[in-house]
Amino acid sequence: MSRNIGDTGTRRTTGGTSVETPKKELWSSMLDDVASGRSLPEKNLLVLGGSPEAQKDFLQGLSNDIANGRKHAEAHSGKRPPLANQFALGYTYEDIWDADHEDLIARLSIYLLSDPSPSFTPLLKTVLSPQTIPHTLIVILLDWSDPWRWLRQLRQWVWLLRSLAASLSEECKDAMEETMTRWRNHTQDLGGRESAGKPPNNESMHLPLGTGEWDEVLGLPLCVVCQNADHMTSLESEQGWKEETFDFVQQSLRTILLKHGASLVYTSRSSPNLLQSLVYASLGIQSTLKRQILKHNVVDRDRVLVPPNWDSWGKIRVLKDGFDVEGISAGWSTDIARRDEASPTLQAQDPDAKDHPQSEELAGTESPKVTSGAVIVYEGTIRNPREGIENESYDDHDGLQRSGKLEAKSINTQDFLRNQSQVMDRIRAEDGPSRNQSKGQRMETIGTNRSQEDSDARYRDGISATDRGRVDEHIGPVQFNTGGIQMDADDMLKRLQVQSLPFKTLNEEQF
C-alpha cells in the first residue's frame, strides 16, 4: 500500500489494481468544530414606533445599564455599531458581553420601524422565520410627551402585527404558537416574583389564566416601553394632571397589555431603570443579569415595571377603585377587531371624541363606565390640550394618522382670480345705487356748509364801524401782562400790522 504525502485520501494497490478510499476533509471538519464551539446565540429585537431620535434614546438606555459590558465592548471593537433608522426598516446590532467573564455571549440584531403603514409588512416578513421566531421580542415605544395618543398608536401596531402574522407561512405560524405556549407557561410563585426568560420544566406549577388574560395574543412576546417619564412633572404643573389621572393611564395600559401577555416599563433619563433587565430576561439572556429577579413596581408613578405573567384584574383594581376593567378589556377587543369585520360601533367612532359623554374631568370622580370602544373612552378622559389648535386627522379605515396639522386643498391660481373677479363684480353691482346716492348726499352737505360759511362772512362784513366801535367801548381795552410788563392788545396788534406791511408789499412786488 502506498500513500501520497499531502493527500487526505489513501490509495491501496491490490492485485495490480488501485482502489482509492474517500477523502476525509480533515481541515474542514476541524474548522467546523471550532466554529460550532464559538458560535453565538442570535437574538432579534423588533422595535416599533417612536421617531428616529426616540429609537436612538431607547438603544442608549438599553446599553447604558451595564457600564462594564460597554467598556469591554468598546475595548474589543473600538467603536459603536452603525445605526440606520431614517428610512423604512432600520437595522443595527448589539454585542452582549458577560460582565463577569468578559466573554461575548450573544449578538442582538435590532430592527427598527417608525411607521405602522401596511406597506412595510413585506419587510417585516423577511425578519421572521421558523428559526428566528423563538428568539424574537417585539418592543413598542410610547412617549410621555403625548399620552393622549397611546391607545390609538397601540391599535395601529396591533393591526399591523395581526396582518403580518396572517401573511406568514404555516411553519411560521406553528413556531409562533409554540413560542407563545412556552412564554405563557413561564413559572410563577405565590410571592409575586417572576422568573421571566427561564425555560419551563415539568416540575413547575402553572397557575391557570384569569379573565382577560392572553385572549388576544399576537404570536410573539411583547414589551411596551413608555419613554421620558420625567415629562410627568410638566403634565402635572402645566396641564393640571393629578394622581388619579396617572393611575387611569396606568390601569388602561395594564388592562390592554394583559390581553396580549405583554410587559410594561416606564423609562426616563434622570433615573435608573430596569429596561435592559426586562428585555434580556424576555429574550432568555441571563448571564449579564447575574440571576437578577425582576421586581414589579406599580406604586412609583415614574418607575412602573410590570413583568410578563405577573398582572391580573385584581391587581389592576387595587391601584384605584372604580376603574371599569371589564369595560376597557371588552372595548379593546372591539377596537382591535379586523378592519373588514369592524363592528358598527367601531366604524362610527369619532377620532377626536369631542362630544363623548365621558369627557368630563377625572379628578374627584370614578372612572367612566365603558359603553363603547376603549380608545374613545381613553381619549375622552385623557384629552389633548392642543385639540383646539391642531386638527388631528385620523383614518379609522387603516388606523393611520394622516396629519397632525390643519390641511386645506389649494386651487389653481387662475381659477382663484376668476372667482374673485366675479365676486368683485357682484359687489360692485349691488353697491352701485347706494354709492351714487351717498355721493349725492355728500355733495348736498358740502353745498349747505359752503352757503352757511358765505352767510356768516356777509354778516361779519355788514357790521358797520359805528357798531364795532360801540362794541369795543362796551368791552373795553384788552390788556395782558407779559414778564411783568403790561401790554395793550389793540396797540400791539396795530404795531404788528404796521411792521408787516412793507414785507408783505415787497413779497407781492417780487412775485
Side-chain angles (χ1 to χ4, degrees):
M1 182 179 70
S2 63
R3 179 172 181 177
N4 298 328
I5 299 176
D7 194 354
T8 58
T10 60
R11 180 173 297 174
R12 247 181 346 186
T13 303
T14 305
T17 61
S18 157
V19 179
E20 184 175 357
T21 60
K23 295 182 178 180
K24 297 180 180 179
E25 300 291 342
L26 297 179
W27 288 107
S28 298
S29 61
M30 291 176 62
L31 292 175
D32 292 340
D33 293 339
V34 174
S36 61
R38 298 187 61 181
S39 61
L40 296 176
E42 292 284 345
K43 304 293 183 178
N44 294 330
L45 188 64
L46 184 56
V47 181
L48 305 177
S51 62
E53 292 76 14
Q55 294 175 352
K56 187 179 298 184
D57 293 341
F58 166 77
L59 297 178
Q60 186 71 22
L62 186 63
S63 60
N64 279 349
D65 285 345
I66 50 168
N68 294 333
R70 172 55 53 201
K71 291 179 181 178
H72 294 313
E74 292 178 352
H76 285 273
S77 63
K79 61 180 181 179
R80 288 186 58 85
L83 172 62
N85 65 336
Q86 295 294 330
F87 306 101
L89 183 64
Y91 176 78
T92 187
Y93 67 91
E94 189 78 22
D95 290 333
I96 303 175
W97 299 81
D98 193 321
D100 296 331
H101 303 89
E102 301 185 2
D103 293 331
L104 185 62
I105 62 174
R107 169 161 290 183
L108 182 62
S109 296
I110 305 173
Y111 302 88
L112 307 106
L113 181 64
S114 299
D115 189 356
S117 172
S119 304
F120 298 121
T121 303
L123 298 177
L124 297 177
K125 291 176 62 176
T126 61
V127 179
L128 301 178
S129 66
Q131 293 75 29
T132 61
I133 286 176
H135 309 287
T136 301
L137 173 68
I138 298 177
V139 173
I140 297 180
L141 300 182
L142 303 175
D143 200 309
W144 271 103
S145 61
D146 54 355
W148 38 87
R149 297 180 180 144
W150 282 2
L151 262 61
R152 194 175 295 273
Q153 293 173 354
L154 284 176
R155 185 176 65 177
Q156 294 173 9
W157 290 116
V158 169
W159 281 346
L160 179 66
L161 293 174
R162 281 189 164 186
S163 63
L164 174 62
S167 63
L168 296 176
S169 62
E170 292 299 327
E171 292 78 6
C172 292
K173 293 180 181 178
D174 294 340
M176 282 185 169
E177 185 175 356
E178 294 176 1
T179 300
M180 295 310 296
T181 300
R182 184 174 64 253
W183 182 253
R184 183 170 55 247
N185 292 334
H186 282 173
T187 57
Q188 297 176 311
D189 58 33
L190 299 178
R193 295 193 309 170
E194 182 70 30
S195 57
K198 181 179 179 181
N201 53 71
N202 295 330
E203 298 179 357
S204 300
M205 181 184 65
H206 306 304
L207 299 179
L209 296 178
T211 307
E213 301 179 11
W214 295 85
D215 55 359
E216 298 287 354
V217 294
L218 301 175
L220 289 171
L222 175 63
C223 175
V224 174
V225 179
C226 300
Q227 297 178 295
N228 299 322
D230 42 10
H231 192 70
M232 292 181 177
T233 306
S234 301
L235 293 173
E236 188 175 20
S237 59
E238 298 176 5
Q239 307 300 334
W241 280 37
K242 298 183 179 180
E243 290 296 332
E244 292 81 0
T245 314
F246 295 106
D247 292 342
F248 177 81
V249 172
Q250 182 189 146
Q251 288 176 307
S252 299
L253 286 178
R254 290 169 58 186
T255 302
I256 291 171
L257 298 182
L258 185 60
K259 300 176 70 64
H260 303 296
S263 55
L264 173 67
V265 62
Y266 290 2
T267 64
S268 62
R269 299 180 181 179
S270 59
S271 61
N273 55 74
L274 296 176
L275 174 62
Q276 190 202 65
S277 300
L278 179 60
V279 171
Y280 285 4
S282 300
L283 289 171
I285 305 172
Q286 291 290 329
S287 297
T288 57
L289 299 178
K290 298 180 180 180
R291 302 185 182 276
Q292 181 179 3
I293 300 299
L294 294 177
K295 181 64 176 177
H296 65 274
N297 184 1
V298 295
V299 178
D300 299 331
R301 69 180 189 184
D302 58 342
R303 299 181 183 180
V304 172
L305 174 63
V306 180
N309 299 331
W310 174 83
D311 216 350
S312 64
W313 278 11
K315 296 175 182 177
I316 295 174
R317 289 191 180 98
V318 170
L319 185 63
K320 178 180 178 295
D321 295 334
F323 180 76
D324 187 12
V325 61
E326 296 90 348
I328 290 291
S329 181
W332 183 249
S333 298
T334 303
D335 288 332
I336 62 175
R338 294 174 61 98
R339 278 162 284 180
D340 53 349
E341 299 175 358
S343 64
T345 303
L346 177 61
Q347 295 176 354
Q349 284 181 352
D350 181 10
D352 293 332
K354 296 179 179 179
D355 300 327
H356 199 272
Q358 278 85 12
S359 60
E360 61 187 18
E361 293 294 334
L362 179 65
T365 61
E366 292 187 354
S367 300
K369 298 298 181 181
V370 178
T371 58
S372 60
V375 175
I376 290 297
V377 175
Y378 180 85
E379 293 181 352
T381 305
I382 308 301
R383 303 301 298 268
N384 183 358
R386 296 187 295 271
E387 63 182 354
I389 302 176
E390 297 179 358
N391 181 21
E392 296 178 343
S393 176
Y394 294 94
D395 187 355
D396 273 341
H397 179 67
D398 56 8
L400 299 181
Q401 181 179 355
R402 297 304 182 191
S403 173
K405 299 181 180 179
L406 183 64
E407 295 183 355
K409 294 182 178 180
S410 60
I411 62 176
N412 184 271
T413 305
Q414 296 299 326
D415 295 339
F416 173 78
L417 295 176
R418 188 182 302 109
N419 295 335
Q420 293 301 314
S421 177
Q422 296 175 359
V423 172
M424 296 298 294
D425 292 340
R426 185 173 63 253
I427 295 176
R428 191 179 297 107
E430 294 175 355
D431 293 349
S434 59
R435 184 173 301 177
N436 295 333
Q437 182 178 3
S438 300
K439 183 177 179 180
Q441 292 178 353
R442 288 197 301 269
M443 294 300 296
E444 182 178 357
T445 303
I446 293 174
T448 303
N449 294 337
R450 289 181 177 178
S451 300
Q452 184 66 28
E453 292 176 357
D454 294 341
S455 176
D456 294 341
R458 287 194 300 270
Y459 175 77
R460 289 193 301 271
D461 294 340
I463 298 177
S464 61
T466 305
D467 296 338
R468 185 178 292 110
R470 191 176 302 157
V471 171
D472 293 341
E473 182 180 358
H474 179 72
I475 296 176
V478 179
Q479 297 179 349
F480 57 91
N481 189 290
T482 303
I485 301 176
Q486 193 73 15
M487 306 291 294
D488 191 341
D490 295 337
D491 183 59
M492 183 63 67
L493 182 59
K494 291 179 181 180
R495 291 183 180 182
L496 291 175
Q497 291 176 352
V498 171
Q499 291 178 0
S500 61
L501 183 60
F503 177 76
K504 182 178 180 181
T505 304
L506 179 61
N507 290 339
E508 290 177 351
E509 291 177 355
Q510 290 178 350
F511 294 96

